[in-house]
Amino acid sequence: MRRLLAATHGRFAEGIGETLRLILGASQPLELLNAYTVPDFDMAKTAKEYVSALGEGDELIVATDVFGGSVANAFAEYTASGRVHVVTGLNLPLLILLVSMLDSEDPTEEMIENAIEEAKEGIVYVNRVIEETMREEEEDDF
């Protein structure tokens, strides 16, 4: 079984999880980890606990906020097993795609790559789109 964990610095995981559930419904297969929000938080210990809780045959996909950050790095320690997959650059389109693809028959690596590629399309500089659309409309008017 695939498990999905949004793990971020501060309360970003909580916020993006709340937004995801607002859009997709309350019962989504998503775990949340708000790192460093309590005194004496130990990221290495917390990552180890999540990985140790995996059942036989389970995989853990960890969506984190920052590449090279302590949250991603703590989980990256466990990627050699092939059961832990770390994805950085967490955003809402990526999270929606990962949740919706969890039951996919595709290999996990392929599923993650597909989700990343599709999520990139959600990053748009809207000003440019408006400019291009207006320019096209002006050209069509002539």
Side-chain angles (χ1 to χ4, degrees), residues 11 34-41:
R11 300 204 182 280
N34 297 311
Y36 305 105
T37 58
V38 296
D40 301 323
F41 177 81

Side-chain angles (χ1 to χ4, degrees), residues 3-127:
R3 292 175 46 196
L4 178 59
L5 171 66
T8 67
H9 297 83
R11 300 204 182 280
F12 179 40
E14 180 181 333
I16 200 167
E18 181 181 322
T19 302
L20 175 102
R21 289 181 171 126
L22 177 72
I23 294 168
L24 297 181
S27 61
Q28 297 304 314
L30 174 65
E31 299 172 56
L32 304 171
L33 171 60
N34 297 311
Y36 305 105
T37 58
V38 296
D40 301 323
F41 177 81
D42 186 334
M43 188 63 243
K45 178 182 175 191
T46 302
K48 183 177 183 176
E49 289 170 354
Y50 272 96
V51 174
S52 296
L54 289 174
E56 190 171 324
D58 286 352
E59 290 180 282
L60 177 64
I61 301 167
V62 185
T64 71
D65 46 5
V66 181
F67 177 72
S70 58
V71 177
N73 290 348
F75 284 99
E77 295 287 324
Y78 300 96
T79 59
S81 71
R83 299 176 61 206
V84 176
H85 308 269
V86 180
V87 181
T88 62
L90 177 60
N91 62 37
L92 189 57
L94 176 63
L95 195 58
I96 289 170
L97 288 161
L98 289 171
V99 165
S100 67
M101 295 177 166
L102 277 178
D103 293 331
S104 166
E105 296 294 324
D106 294 334
T108 302
E109 294 84 359
E110 184 178 325
M111 182 210 76
I112 291 169
E113 290 292 340
N114 290 338
I116 290 169
E117 286 306 309
E118 285 187 49
K120 286 179 184 178
E121 294 175 20
I123 301 173
V124 177
Y125 182 32
V126 175
N127 296 44

